[in-house]
């Protein structure tokens, strides 16, 4: 074998070169005899010379030829391969993304499994209101769970037409004028009070598609960034859950924020808020008036600073 042959660095043997003095060619019979001698000693581990042989000379090795890396070779047929065309986006932009007849329950695949699991047990009703909101006087009952249990049951028992007519009594969808001081909302949707609304009045449920686990990614693949724009976080403790209103909700998804928390943007007084009721182990979101709202006034909710971090 040639004197400059080398074993690849990634091989399992420890030798890296063949000594120059052993580089001469040997006869076939001599090579065979030496290999037979090694096999015999390997088979007879009790041979007193074997351990000494390893210590002094090491295990004999055979050079491994370095094969070319075919992954680095550009094959002729690859030169004529045309690049694949990317599939066109399947994002759906809806011209009408809400309906007052929307159902109270609409689930993604994983959320449906979760709902069936949670609703089968015994659960205590819980109420989650924004910090600082404490109804008083005749509206004080809104702080009690029995009151909210009745409200949820009432909406769950309504037919689609009843839900629509009830919402239309208090809220009206409008297209905001082009001279609106909020530049980003010119020509966009808004919600006005369809009648005079008293303080701490339940306007209706914020509806949508419940998403858990991979459900949210599935929806984003269908409706893109609009999913996040119209989603309400209704997580319970450490259980992540989102209520995605785009394409599945009612007129409440059109309620605008009172401010974007950006410098120079106008700030209006929020006159409504979201509250969450966990009833029979499942969350429901409702819109409640924070103060008296006169007919024709726009209904506004404070989305919170965290919402605007993504915009």
């Amino acid at each position: 074998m040639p004197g400059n042959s080398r074993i690849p660095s990634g091989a399992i043997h420890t030798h890296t070169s063949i000594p120059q003095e052993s580089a001469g060619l040997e006869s076939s019979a001599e090579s065979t005899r030496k290999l037979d001698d090694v096999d015999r000693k390997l088979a007879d581990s009790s041979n007193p010379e074997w351990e000494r042989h390893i210590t002094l000379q090491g295990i004999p090795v055979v050079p491994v030829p370095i094969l070319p890396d075919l992954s680095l070779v550009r094959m002729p047929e690859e030169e004529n391969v045309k690049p694949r065309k990317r599939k066109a986006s399947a994002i759906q932009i809806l011209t009408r993304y809400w309906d007052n007849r929307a159902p109270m329950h609409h689930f993604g695949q994983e959320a449906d499994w979760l709902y069936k699991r949670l609703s089968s047990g015994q659960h205590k009703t819980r109420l989650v209101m924004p910090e600082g909101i404490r109804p008083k006087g005749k509206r004080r009952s809104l702080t009690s769970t029995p009151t909210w249990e009745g409200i949820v049951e009432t909406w769950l028992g309504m037919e689609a037409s009843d839900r629509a007519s009830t919402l239309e009594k208090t809220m009206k969808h409008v297209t905001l004028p082009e001279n609106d001081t909020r530049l980003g909302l010119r020509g966009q949707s808004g919600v006005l009070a369809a009648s005079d609304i008293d303080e701490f009045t339940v306007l209706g449920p914020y509806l949508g598609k419940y998403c858990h686990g991979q459900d949210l990614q599935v929806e984003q693949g269908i409706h893109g960034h609009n999913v996040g724009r119209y989603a309400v976080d209704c997580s319970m403790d450490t259980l992540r859950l989102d209520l995605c209103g785009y394409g599945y909700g009612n007129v409440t998804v059109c309620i605008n924020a009172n401010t974007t928390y950006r410098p120079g943007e106008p700030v209006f007084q929020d006159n409504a808020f979201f509250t969450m009721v966990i009833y029979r182990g499942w969350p429901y979101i409702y819109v409640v008036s924070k103060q008296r709202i006169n007919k024709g006034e726009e209904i506004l909710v404070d989305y919170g600073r965290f919402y605007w971090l993504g915009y």
Side-chain angles (χ1 to χ4, degrees):
M1 68 186 65
N4 60 352
S5 298
R6 291 183 179 274
I7 299 175
S9 60
I12 60 173
H13 305 292
T14 58
H15 287 65
T16 57
S17 64
I18 301 299
Q20 293 291 333
E21 57 269 23
S22 63
L25 294 176
E26 302 181 26
S27 66
S28 176
E30 182 67 15
S31 298
T32 302
R33 186 189 64 77
K34 289 186 175 182
L35 289 175
D36 290 341
D37 187 53
V38 170
D39 290 340
R40 179 179 56 78
K41 291 180 178 181
L42 282 173
D44 186 9
S45 58
S46 61
N47 191 312
E49 294 294 321
W50 180 236
E51 185 174 354
R52 182 171 177 271
H53 181 78
I54 294 178
T55 305
L56 297 179
Q57 299 182 19
I59 299 178
V61 294
V62 179
V64 179
I66 302 177
L67 300 177
D69 188 351
L70 297 180
S71 65
L72 302 178
V73 180
R74 183 177 179 86
M75 305 303 291
E77 60 271 20
E78 292 182 356
E79 297 179 357
N80 298 325
V81 176
K82 296 182 179 180
R84 292 184 179 181
K85 293 183 178 180
R86 297 183 64 182
K87 292 184 179 180
S89 174
I91 300 300
Q92 299 178 11
I93 306 299
L94 306 177
T95 55
R96 175 79 174 193
Y97 53 89
W98 60 274
D99 189 335
N100 280 337
R101 297 168 300 176
M104 291 289 290
H105 289 153
H106 199 124
F107 305 106
Q109 184 175 356
E110 294 193 32
D112 182 52
W113 171 86
L114 186 65
Y115 172 75
K116 293 175 181 177
R117 180 184 178 186
L118 294 179
S119 60
S120 60
Q122 296 290 331
H123 302 279
K124 183 178 180 181
T125 302
R126 290 191 292 163
L127 178 63
V128 182
M129 280 189 173
E131 187 177 355
I133 300 295
R134 292 292 179 270
K136 299 179 181 179
K138 63 180 181 179
R139 299 294 182 179
R140 188 176 181 179
S141 61
L142 285 180
T143 60
S144 69
T145 54
T147 298
W148 279 103
E149 289 172 354
I151 292 173
V152 175
E153 281 291 348
T154 297
W155 282 93
L156 288 174
M158 286 185 181
E159 298 291 338
S161 57
D162 294 331
R163 287 194 297 273
S165 60
T166 302
L167 292 170
E168 291 165 2
K169 290 178 182 178
T170 55
M171 291 175 285
K172 177 183 178 181
H173 172 267
V174 295
T175 300
L176 298 176
E178 293 296 334
N179 62 351
D180 195 292
T181 56
R182 299 162 294 181
L183 301 181
L185 291 180
R186 291 179 178 179
Q188 302 299 312
S189 294
V191 178
L192 305 182
S195 58
D196 292 337
I197 302 173
D198 291 332
E199 181 183 28
F200 295 118
T201 297
V202 178
L203 304 182
Y206 186 99
L207 300 180
K209 188 174 187 177
Y210 288 97
C211 293
H212 174 65
Q214 298 297 320
D215 293 338
L216 193 62
Q217 295 181 14
V218 173
E219 282 303 307
Q220 290 172 338
I222 300 173
H223 296 130
H225 70 278
N226 281 322
V227 174
R229 291 179 59 190
Y230 296 91
V232 174
D233 183 6
C234 54
S235 301
M236 300 177 292
D237 300 324
T238 59
L239 186 64
R240 176 65 186 271
L241 198 62
D242 294 283
L243 184 58
C244 304
Y246 187 78
Y248 305 102
N250 54 31
V251 69
T252 59
V253 304
C254 301
I255 296 177
N256 288 313
N258 67 315
T259 179
T260 62
Y261 289 93
R262 297 191 183 110
E265 289 283 335
V267 180
F268 298 94
Q269 177 62 48
D270 56 315
N271 50 23
F273 61 92
F274 293 124
T275 189
M276 182 170 74
V277 185
I278 303 175
Y279 177 60
R280 292 186 177 178
W282 197 251
Y284 298 89
I285 305 295
Y286 282 84
V287 182
V288 182
S289 62
K290 186 178 179 181
Q291 61 191 44
R292 178 179 173 82
I293 307 174
N294 296 323
K295 181 180 180 179
E297 290 184 1
E298 186 175 3
I299 300 173
L300 300 171
V301 173
D302 186 355
Y303 287 6
R305 291 181 182 272
F306 183 78
Y307 173 87
W308 297 105
L309 292 178
Y311 297 94

